[in-house]
Amino acid sequence: MEREKLFHPTLSDIQVYADKEMAAQAAANEIIKAVQENPKIAITYATGDTMIPVYEALQRASQQGVVDFSNTTAFHLDEYYPYAPTKEFSFVKFLKDRVFNPLSIKPDNIHTLNGLASNGDIEAERYDDLLRKKIVGITLLGIGPGGHIGFNERNTSFTSRTHLAQLSIQTVYRDKIERNQDTPDMALTQGIETILESKRLVMVAYGTTKGDYLHEALDLEVTETCPASALRLHSNKVSMFIDKDAKLQIELNRSKEAV
Ligand code: GLP
């Protein structure tokens, strides 16, 4: 597959592909390879539009018998709160439909955040305890408004664990206005420290808006103001799969700052 790299002083694995399908396929290939090497690997899955082609590629590989996910363990990054797992925009529903069921992951190996738990703080603690007991081999990440990862919004502590989070105005605007969702403005999310404990971090992003988020995360200060900038503290375990549009946008921002 055609690819180039985006230069970064500390992140040496930012792979750039001609379009989103190719970037998604390349990210999926990383996951497939990891499962082939360790059939019992624990994976934290992300949700969002970005992940749809990645999960389609995993489904194809699974159907073709190239890889067997049945003995893997599944976690996920986040879920709206309070929100039922049967509702249209539930992240648990998204993953059941696109990952857990099609990849035949055993129900006992699937660990989901309960968006209907009566106490969100206790639910977050329960989930974090599960994660502390497991080594997560790969965490998939997208990037959202304000450089959020999971639902860790701007100014979330880099030492945060799984918690109940208040969504930012930007995220609520995206969800309610741009995406016409009926979702609440709070969510359960793995914390930044929790996410960074994963052995590998695989971020996927396409398009110019994501290019702007990435520029802030990659090229400006490493600061809690930009949650995704925390990835630079663990540069040796980060791989990014982006498309040409995101790369161009990053380079455009870089060129403006160089003037
Ligand atoms: C969502 C999720 C993130 C996701 C990001 C990007 O709100 N909390 O886990 O990675 O925003 O979503 P999308 O790919 O739909 O743009």
Side-chain angles (χ1 to χ4, degrees), residues 17-258:
Y17 292 85
D19 57 34
K20 76 172 182 181
E21 280 72 28
M22 284 193 222
Q25 182 66 56
N29 290 348
E30 284 291 307
I31 310 289
I32 292 163
K33 198 166 75 182
V35 175
Q36 287 166 338
E37 281 167 13
N38 175 9
K40 292 188 171 179
I41 191 171
I43 298 174
T44 286
Y45 292 94
T47 48
D49 294 348
T50 308
M51 296 300 150
I52 292 174
V54 178
Y55 297 152
E56 284 170 354
L58 294 185
Q59 287 174 31
R60 283 195 296 275
S62 168
Q63 278 158 12
Q64 289 160 4
V66 173
V67 61
D68 176 9
F69 281 83
S70 64
N71 292 310
T72 61
T73 292
F75 290 94
H76 65 120
L77 278 179
D78 45 14
E79 173 63 305
Y80 290 103
Y81 183 89
Y83 203 66
T86 46
K87 292 192 90 173
E88 186 179 357
F89 300 106
S90 158
F91 288 167
V92 172
K93 176 175 165 36
F94 177 104
L95 290 170
K96 255 191 199 156
D97 293 347
R98 293 184 169 82
V99 176
F100 305 154
N101 289 338
L103 301 184
S104 305
I105 301 174
K106 293 195 178 93
D108 285 354
N109 294 351
I110 298 169
H111 304 292
T112 57
L113 283 156
N114 178 7
L116 286 183
S118 56
N119 184 319
D121 296 325
I122 293 175
E123 173 59 8
E125 222 171 283
R126 178 193 71 82
Y127 204 67
D128 207 74
D129 284 346
L130 285 176
L131 283 157
R132 280 181 197 273
K133 286 186 202 129
K134 267 276 181 203
I135 293 170
V136 176
I138 289 196
T139 292
L140 267 163
L141 294 169
I143 186 166
H148 78 208
I149 50 173
F151 268 133
N152 293 284
E153 301 283 20
R154 285 193 188 281
N155 300 312
T156 304
S157 166
F158 283 176
T159 59
S160 55
R161 306 292 309 178
T162 306
H163 64 283
L164 190 56
Q166 175 67 52
L167 304 186
S168 69
I169 295 290
Q170 289 77 7
T171 299
V172 172
Y173 184 89
R174 178 201 68 171
D175 288 352
K176 289 196 196 296
I177 309 288
E178 293 174 4
R179 298 188 172 180
N180 204 18
Q181 295 183 185
D182 64 351
T183 43
D185 61 3
M186 293 194 86
L188 292 159
T189 182
Q190 287 194 28
I192 294 180
E193 186 177 270
T194 322
I195 290 170
L196 296 181
E197 276 169 2
S198 176
K199 280 170 80 177
R200 291 206 52 213
L201 300 159
V202 171
M203 177 170 270
V204 190
Y206 338 104
T208 53
T209 303
K210 301 295 172 98
D212 281 334
Y213 303 157
L214 283 172
H215 168 63
E216 184 180 351
L218 295 172
D219 299 331
L220 306 190
E221 240 181 290
V222 175
T223 161
E224 289 177 353
T225 309
C226 179
S229 69
L231 297 183
R232 283 153 64 195
L233 301 172
H234 294 269
S235 45
N236 59 328
K237 52 186 182 185
V238 176
S239 295
M240 290 193 180
F241 297 85
I242 68 174
D243 69 352
K244 276 229 162 78
D245 292 1
K247 174 183 180 250
L248 260 177
Q249 190 67 23
I250 294 166
E251 288 175 339
L252 180 70
N253 284 310
R254 284 178 177 176
S255 75
K256 283 182 193 157
E257 269 145 29

